[in-house]
Amino acid sequence: MTDHGGRAVGLGTYVTLGHLWEALFENWESEFLQTSAFVVLSAYLLQVGSPESRRPGVRELVDADPHDDADRPDVPWPVRRGGWVLRAYEYSLGGALFLLFLVSFVGHLLGGWAEQNAEQRLHGQTAVTLIDHATSSRFWFESLQNWQSEFLSVGAIVWLAVYLRQRGSPESKPVHAPHAETGR
């Protein structure tokens, strides 16, 4: 604001401006997209040699049928309940992360729209509609630049963890493990 002859805003005012919310939700958006994609895709895709991947052809603990443990007193309530509640619970982690992505996406969209309209007013221009902002190159540039960096970092760890090691890290295979060994 001081660039246009205005006064600097205090923290109390800043938290009401679109700039803060656009930046905050833009960051969260890419994090939740990356995390939800990683959780969901790692359940279905295999990366031979990756410590993060399921082992091809091996039945693992995550493959166990929750119905087999429904009578145990310490299992989560949805497992005891069964039916559609259990079905929803079986996919709740990926679903919740994707919902957080959607909330962050909308927050980024609304914050960016407010910020763009504030800039428009400073320059004596008319406000843009939400649809105009949502279809603007500015909005998609902000989203895609963050998305690509998240997927680049995940792709790098998935690929590098096949060939490189970090002693003591649960994200790495043991130092002596062959490159082709998959899983932990």
Side-chain angles (χ1 to χ4, degrees), residues 26-27 29-31 33-34 101 140-157:
E26 178 187 331
N27 251 347
E29 169 190 329
S30 61
E31 297 296 332
L33 176 63
Q34 175 243 337
F101 158 71
W140 287 102
F141 170 76
E142 291 168 352
S143 288
L144 294 174
Q145 75 171 344
N146 270 341
W147 296 2
Q148 62 81 25
S149 66
E150 296 297 331
F151 284 98
L152 175 65
S153 69
V154 168
I157 194 168

Side-chain angles (χ1 to χ4, degrees), residues 25-73:
F25 283 120
E26 178 187 331
N27 251 347
W28 289 4
E29 169 190 329
S30 61
E31 297 296 332
F32 288 126
L33 176 63
Q34 175 243 337
T35 306
S36 66
F38 185 74
V39 166
V40 172
L41 292 175
S42 66
Y44 301 103
L45 301 178
L46 303 175
Q47 171 63 43
V48 173
S50 172
E52 296 293 332
S53 180
R54 296 163 47 101
R55 294 174 289 168
V58 175
R59 183 165 168 78
E60 300 190 26
L61 188 56
V62 295
D63 299 317
D65 186 345
H67 293 98
D68 296 343
D69 292 307
D71 293 334
R72 285 186 29 210

Side-chain angles (χ1 to χ4, degrees), residues 1-9 118-119 121-123:
M1 299 196 93
T2 57
D3 293 345
H4 298 281
R7 295 184 344 224
V9 297
E119 289 174 10
R121 283 190 302 278
L122 282 174
H123 295 282

